[in-house]
PDB file of all heavy atoms in Angstrom:
ATOM      1  N   PRO U  71      -0.386 -53.382  16.873  1.00 92.00           N
ATOM      2  CA  PRO U  71      -0.922 -52.604  15.815  1.00 92.00           C
ATOM      3  C   PRO U  71       0.162 -52.423  14.699  1.00 92.00           C
ATOM      4  O   PRO U  71       1.305 -52.617  14.912  1.00 92.00           O
ATOM      5  CB  PRO U  71      -1.339 -51.276  16.395  1.00 92.00           C
ATOM      6  CG  PRO U  71      -0.432 -51.166  17.556  1.00 92.00           C
ATOM      7  CD  PRO U  71      -0.132 -52.511  18.074  1.00 92.00           C
ATOM      8  N   GLU U  72      -0.399 -51.918  13.538  1.00 91.00           N
ATOM      9  CA  GLU U  72       0.504 -51.617  12.444  1.00 91.00           C
ATOM     10  C   GLU U  72       1.163 -50.276  12.694  1.00 91.00           C
ATOM     11  O   GLU U  72       0.463 -49.289  13.063  1.00 91.00           O
ATOM     12  CB  GLU U  72      -0.329 -51.584  11.158  1.00 91.00           C
ATOM     13  CG  GLU U  72       0.303 -50.906  10.000  1.00 91.00           C
ATOM     14  CD  GLU U  72      -0.700 -50.661   8.923  1.00 91.00           C
ATOM     15  OE1 GLU U  72      -1.908 -51.102   9.090  1.00 91.00           O
ATOM     16  OE2 GLU U  72      -0.377 -50.065   7.897  1.00 91.00           O
ATOM     17  N   PHE U  73       2.457 -50.190  12.585  1.00 93.00           N
ATOM     18  CA  PHE U  73       3.115 -48.867  12.774  1.00 93.00           C
ATOM     19  C   PHE U  73       4.365 -48.871  11.940  1.00 93.00           C
ATOM     20  O   PHE U  73       4.917 -49.922  11.550  1.00 93.00           O
ATOM     21  CB  PHE U  73       3.387 -48.514  14.243  1.00 93.00           C
ATOM     22  CG  PHE U  73       4.378 -49.447  14.896  1.00 93.00           C
ATOM     23  CD1 PHE U  73       5.693 -49.039  15.041  1.00 93.00           C
ATOM     24  CD2 PHE U  73       4.058 -50.674  15.442  1.00 93.00           C
ATOM     25  CE1 PHE U  73       6.618 -49.846  15.609  1.00 93.00           C
ATOM     26  CE2 PHE U  73       5.010 -51.487  16.030  1.00 93.00           C
ATOM     27  CZ  PHE U  73       6.305 -51.089  16.132  1.00 93.00           C
ATOM     28  N   TYR U  74       4.880 -47.659  11.691  1.00 94.00           N
ATOM     29  CA  TYR U  74       6.056 -47.511  10.881  1.00 94.00           C
ATOM     30  C   TYR U  74       7.074 -46.676  11.614  1.00 94.00           C
ATOM     31  O   TYR U  74       6.748 -46.090  12.615  1.00 94.00           O
ATOM     32  CB  TYR U  74       5.732 -46.847   9.551  1.00 94.00           C
ATOM     33  CG  TYR U  74       4.709 -47.594   8.761  1.00 94.00           C
ATOM     34  CD1 TYR U  74       3.346 -47.317   8.944  1.00 94.00           C
ATOM     35  CD2 TYR U  74       5.061 -48.548   7.856  1.00 94.00           C
ATOM     36  CE1 TYR U  74       2.417 -47.983   8.229  1.00 94.00           C
ATOM     37  CE2 TYR U  74       4.075 -49.223   7.111  1.00 94.00           C
ATOM     38  CZ  TYR U  74       2.748 -48.919   7.291  1.00 94.00           C
ATOM     39  OH  TYR U  74       1.815 -49.584   6.585  1.00 94.00           O
ATOM     40  N   VAL U  75       8.286 -46.550  11.076  1.00 93.00           N
ATOM     41  CA  VAL U  75       9.305 -45.706  11.666  1.00 93.00           C
ATOM     42  C   VAL U  75       8.798 -44.261  11.447  1.00 93.00           C
ATOM     43  O   VAL U  75       8.564 -43.883  10.319  1.00 93.00           O
ATOM     44  CB  VAL U  75      10.705 -45.926  11.042  1.00 93.00           C
ATOM     45  CG1 VAL U  75      11.608 -44.861  11.480  1.00 93.00           C
ATOM     46  CG2 VAL U  75      11.158 -47.263  11.403  1.00 93.00           C
ATOM     47  N   GLY U  76       8.670 -43.523  12.508  1.00 93.00           N
ATOM     48  CA  GLY U  76       8.196 -42.146  12.346  1.00 93.00           C
ATOM     49  C   GLY U  76       6.802 -41.936  12.996  1.00 93.00           C
ATOM     50  O   GLY U  76       6.302 -40.830  13.050  1.00 93.00           O
ATOM     51  N   SER U  77       6.144 -43.071  13.398  1.00 94.00           N
ATOM     52  CA  SER U  77       4.851 -42.916  14.068  1.00 94.00           C
ATOM     53  C   SER U  77       5.075 -42.781  15.528  1.00 94.00           C
ATOM     54  O   SER U  77       6.001 -43.261  16.099  1.00 94.00           O
ATOM     55  CB  SER U  77       3.898 -44.074  13.765  1.00 94.00           C
ATOM     56  OG  SER U  77       4.577 -45.151  13.187  1.00 94.00           O
ATOM     57  N   VAL U  78       4.138 -42.057  16.171  1.00 95.00           N
ATOM     58  CA  VAL U  78       4.195 -41.810  17.620  1.00 95.00           C
ATOM     59  C   VAL U  78       3.416 -42.870  18.328  1.00 95.00           C
ATOM     60  O   VAL U  78       2.252 -43.071  18.046  1.00 95.00           O
ATOM     61  CB  VAL U  78       3.649 -40.414  17.958  1.00 95.00           C
ATOM     62  CG1 VAL U  78       3.806 -40.128  19.377  1.00 95.00           C
ATOM     63  CG2 VAL U  78       4.366 -39.360  17.110  1.00 95.00           C
ATOM     64  N   LEU U  79       4.048 -43.567  19.239  1.00 94.00           N
ATOM     65  CA  LEU U  79       3.405 -44.647  19.936  1.00 94.00           C
ATOM     66  C   LEU U  79       3.376 -44.396  21.441  1.00 94.00           C
ATOM     67  O   LEU U  79       4.249 -43.655  21.971  1.00 94.00           O
ATOM     68  CB  LEU U  79       4.123 -46.015  19.789  1.00 94.00           C
ATOM     69  CG  LEU U  79       4.475 -46.485  18.414  1.00 94.00           C
ATOM     70  CD1 LEU U  79       5.200 -47.828  18.530  1.00 94.00           C
ATOM     71  CD2 LEU U  79       3.258 -46.639  17.581  1.00 94.00           C
ATOM     72  N   ALA U  80       2.503 -45.052  22.197  1.00 95.00           N
ATOM     73  CA  ALA U  80       2.497 -45.055  23.638  1.00 95.00           C
ATOM     74  C   ALA U  80       2.511 -46.473  24.085  1.00 95.00           C
ATOM     75  O   ALA U  80       1.657 -47.248  23.670  1.00 95.00           O
ATOM     76  CB  ALA U  80       1.175 -44.315  24.182  1.00 95.00           C
ATOM     77  N   VAL U  81       3.513 -46.838  24.884  1.00 95.00           N
ATOM     78  CA  VAL U  81       3.630 -48.190  25.308  1.00 95.00           C
ATOM     79  C   VAL U  81       3.507 -48.331  26.839  1.00 95.00           C
ATOM     80  O   VAL U  81       4.138 -47.519  27.549  1.00 95.00           O
ATOM     81  CB  VAL U  81       5.066 -48.775  24.905  1.00 95.00           C
ATOM     82  CG1 VAL U  81       5.279 -50.166  25.423  1.00 95.00           C
ATOM     83  CG2 VAL U  81       5.228 -48.707  23.393  1.00 95.00           C
ATOM     84  N   THR U  82       2.683 -49.212  27.351  1.00 94.00           N
ATOM     85  CA  THR U  82       2.568 -49.435  28.792  1.00 94.00           C
ATOM     86  C   THR U  82       3.221 -50.808  29.072  1.00 94.00           C
ATOM     87  O   THR U  82       2.826 -51.802  28.478  1.00 94.00           O
ATOM     88  CB  THR U  82       1.105 -49.490  29.258  1.00 94.00           C
ATOM     89  OG1 THR U  82       0.275 -49.847  28.264  1.00 94.00           O
ATOM     90  CG2 THR U  82       0.700 -48.146  29.839  1.00 94.00           C
TER      91      THR U  82
END
Side-chain angles (χ1 to χ4, degrees):
Chain U
E72 164 192 356
F73 67 97
Y74 304 89
V75 170
S77 11
V78 182
L79 310 182
V81 177
T82 24

